[in-house]
């Protein structure tokens, strides 16, 4: 007598379970930077991602990794606890690819709308591991008032290394000992653009770095040579820690910086009248050199929600999101179609800087800012050589010899 009732109850429970499963909500976890990023990405999620995916019952949460992002993400990936989607910095791409924890996106994402050099930055062995969410390149940011006072023409897109050096030297001579022509950070992250302009390559086919290459020496000698007669100075010489700080003082005419300097100057030197020019061309090759500083959206190869993760990635790199990011002054978008965006036609200094940073992505010898598979210590021999010469402790030739010896030791580890 009870059997039919039990059967009916079982069917009812099964139906309820099926109904619940059909309406189950999928949660996609994103890992990214701390700082201001939680507010920025949270805004994008609320404005664009959640409305677009509500019908699919997909929700998204952003979990920032505070402190050392690369170390934290490495730990989470190893433990199987990383987000479904996460930031993938180009500078540490090789190390993450080696873990096998990053999903190749070939055939899963259409990359044709994006700047080719940015796609290349996230490609290894023909496999694409990330889609650039935004990027920066280097430009010459200059103090218009100092050039006006010295009666020297502003830096512009026609400048070569030689003509820029002449402008800086003349400005220094006109303004005197209290002023400098350019701020020279003793770091690969600024100097390296000049090395690329010569045609030098960071790694050979075996992954080795040749600092004895005449092209590298040419760039090294030019960059450090700008310090002669204090035409160029290090940030520490004006009690600052970086190029933006040099510009803030009003005593240095040119800084080599990305778009991030615009908000810094707005907040810390609101009366400074600045302009922007593309990086100068190497006098011999006729090419500019530049870095792509970029972070991509990547997908965890171990995610159980691949389809939903791809939907989230595609929305976060969509034209609508990138348009919003650009107009809010948050970052430089990675889609080629935005080159004709009305924002870039504005005449205010910030918009003009953004336009030239965007243009720099495919003008000349442009390479992703990366340290290679051995990590950030790769740049240490170069940084030490730059510091030694700029501070007058070593000659360029001696510094380069030591740098090559140190690089050889490092790369044999």
């Amino acid at each position: 007598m009870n059997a039919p009732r039990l059967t009916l109850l079982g069917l009812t429970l099964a139906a309820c379970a099926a109904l619940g499963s059909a309406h189950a909500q999928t949660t996609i976890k994103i890992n990214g930077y701390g700082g201001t990023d939680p507010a920025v990405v949270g805004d994008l999620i609320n404005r664009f991602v959640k409305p677009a995916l509500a019908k699919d019952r997909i929700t998204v949460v952003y979990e920032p990794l505070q402190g050392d992002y690369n170390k934290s993400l490495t730990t989470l990936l190893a433990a199987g606890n990383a987000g479904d989607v996460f930031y993938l910095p180009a500078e540490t791409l090789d190390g993450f690819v080696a873990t096998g924890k990053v999903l190749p996106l070939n055939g899963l994402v259409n990359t044709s709308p994006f700047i080719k050099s940015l796609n290349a930055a996230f490609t290894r062995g023909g496999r694409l591991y990330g889609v650039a969410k935004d990027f920066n390149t280097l430009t010459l940011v200059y103090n218009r008032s100092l050039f006006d006072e010295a009666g020297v023409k502003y830096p512009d897109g026609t400048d070569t290394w030689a003509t820029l050096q002449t402008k800086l030297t003349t400005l220094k001579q006109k303004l005197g000992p209290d002023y400098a022509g350019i701020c020279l950070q003793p770091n690969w992250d600024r100097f390296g653009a000049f090395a690329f302009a010569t045609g030098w390559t960071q790694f050979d086919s075996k992954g080795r770095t040749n600092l004895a290459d005449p092209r590298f020496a040419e760039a090294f000698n030019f960059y450090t040579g700008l310090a002669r007669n204090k035409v160029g100075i290090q940030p520490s010489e004006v009690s600052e820690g970086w190029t933006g700080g040099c510009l803030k003082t009003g005593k240095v005419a040119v800084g080599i910086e990305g778009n991030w300097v615009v908000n810094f100057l707005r907040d810390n030197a609101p009366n400074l009248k600045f302009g922007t020019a593309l990086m100068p061309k190497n006098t011999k090759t006729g090419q500019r050199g530049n870095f792509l500083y970029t972070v991509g959206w990547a997908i965890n190869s171990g995610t159980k929600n691949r389809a939903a993760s791809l939907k989230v990635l595609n929305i976060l790199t969509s034209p609508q999101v990138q348009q919003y990011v650009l107009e809010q002054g948050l970052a430089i978008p990675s889609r080629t179609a935005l080159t004709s965006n009305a924002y870039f036609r504005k005449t205010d200094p910030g918009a003009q800087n953004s336009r030239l940073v965007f243009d720099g992505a495919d003008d000349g010898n442009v390479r992703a800012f990366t340290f290679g598979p051995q990590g950030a210590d790769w740049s240490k021999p170069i940084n030490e050589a730059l510091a030694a010469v700029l501070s007058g402790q070593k000659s360029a030739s001696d510094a380069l010899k030591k740098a090559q010896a140190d690089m050889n030791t490092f790369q044999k580890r």
Side-chain angles (χ1 to χ4, degrees):
M1 294 293 293
N2 291 331
R5 291 183 181 180
L6 291 173
T7 302
L8 181 61
L9 177 61
L11 291 172
T12 302
L13 290 173
C16 289
L19 183 62
S21 176
H23 291 281
Q25 184 162 287
T26 300
T27 298
I28 298 300
K29 182 173 72 174
I30 297 177
N31 289 143
Y33 299 154
T36 61
D37 281 46
V40 172
V41 179
D43 182 39
L44 297 179
I45 289 172
N46 289 330
R47 284 178 180 271
F48 300 99
V49 182
K50 287 184 176 179
L53 297 180
K55 64 181 184 301
D56 298 322
R57 295 192 59 78
I58 298 172
T59 190
V60 179
V61 294
Y62 184 78
E63 295 187 4
L65 305 183
Q66 305 294 346
D68 188 329
Y69 176 81
N70 292 309
K71 183 177 180 179
S72 297
L73 182 60
T74 298
T75 300
L76 290 174
L77 285 171
N81 296 324
D84 303 278
V85 179
F86 50 80
Y87 283 12
L88 182 62
E91 65 198 64
T92 51
L93 171 69
D94 296 280
F96 286 116
V97 167
T99 68
K101 303 291 186 180
V102 186
L103 180 71
L105 299 174
N106 304 67
L108 300 176
V109 174
N110 177 19
T111 60
S112 61
F114 299 94
I115 297 170
K116 289 182 179 179
S117 58
L118 290 172
N119 291 334
F122 291 102
T123 301
R124 295 292 185 274
R127 292 185 173 185
L128 179 79
Y129 290 96
V131 178
K133 69 184 190 70
D134 51 45
F135 74 97
N136 251 287
T137 62
L138 295 174
T139 59
L140 299 181
V141 180
Y142 58 88
N143 184 323
R144 299 167 65 96
S145 298
L146 293 185
F147 279 91
D148 290 341
E149 185 178 344
V152 176
K153 289 183 178 180
Y154 300 145
D156 60 44
T158 68
D159 273 323
T160 64
W161 290 8
T163 61
L164 176 65
Q165 185 170 24
T166 297
K167 288 179 179 180
L168 298 176
T169 301
T170 303
L171 180 142
K172 170 67 175 177
Q173 292 171 344
K174 292 285 185 68
L175 298 185
D178 293 335
Y179 296 87
I182 190 168
C183 189
L184 302 169
Q185 286 191 191
N187 299 106
W188 164 250
D189 59 15
R190 298 297 181 275
F191 156 73
F194 292 89
F196 290 147
T198 68
W200 178 80
T201 54
Q202 190 173 355
F203 302 103
D204 64 18
S205 60
K206 297 180 179 179
R208 300 297 183 184
T209 299
N210 182 11
L211 305 182
D213 187 316
R215 294 171 296 182
F216 186 89
E218 177 192 355
F220 190 89
N221 290 332
F222 172 76
Y223 191 83
T224 57
L226 290 172
R228 291 193 193 97
N229 301 315
K230 296 294 181 182
V231 171
I233 61 170
Q234 297 182 75
S236 59
E237 295 179 65
V238 286
S239 302
E240 295 292 339
W242 70 300
T243 309
C246 288
L247 291 169
K248 180 190 70 174
T249 68
K251 299 291 185 179
V252 182
V254 174
I256 304 166
E257 283 299 334
N259 184 249
W260 52 75
V261 79
V262 172
N263 286 341
F264 173 82
L265 293 177
R266 181 197 63 199
D267 295 340
N268 295 278
N271 296 321
L272 188 145
K273 297 178 180 179
F274 70 90
T276 305
L278 290 168
M279 293 291 285
K281 296 179 180 179
N282 175 269
T283 308
K284 294 179 182 178
T285 66
Q287 296 292 319
R288 307 183 206 281
N290 219 324
F291 281 121
L292 284 170
Y293 301 89
T294 182
V295 174
W297 289 112
I299 293 179
N300 189 333
S301 63
T303 180
K304 297 178 181 178
N305 301 301
R306 180 182 294 190
S309 296
L310 283 166
K311 287 183 179 182
V312 171
L313 183 149
N314 283 324
I315 294 170
L316 287 170
T317 56
S318 66
Q320 295 85 356
V321 167
Q322 293 214 340
Q323 174 81 20
Y324 178 75
V325 166
L326 175 64
E327 291 179 349
Q328 294 298 308
L330 299 174
I332 308 300
S334 55
R335 286 178 170 265
T336 54
L338 289 172
T339 188
S340 58
N341 190 274
Y343 177 81
F344 288 139
R345 294 195 293 272
K346 292 183 178 181
T347 58
D348 66 274
Q352 288 300 299
N353 178 276
S354 295
R355 179 179 63 81
L356 292 176
V357 165
F358 189 93
D359 290 347
D362 57 5
D363 189 342
N365 298 328
V366 186
R367 305 289 182 265
F369 180 71
T370 179
F371 300 115
Q374 290 181 274
D377 283 347
W378 173 87
S379 65
K380 187 175 179 181
I382 298 172
N383 296 345
E384 290 178 346
L386 289 167
V389 178
L390 289 172
S391 61
Q393 296 176 19
K394 278 186 169 65
S395 67
S397 60
D398 287 345
L400 284 177
K401 287 178 183 177
K402 183 178 186 305
Q404 184 65 74
D406 291 345
M407 183 65 75
N408 291 343
T409 300
F410 172 74
Q411 294 191 319
K412 288 177 181 177
R413 292 179 185 174

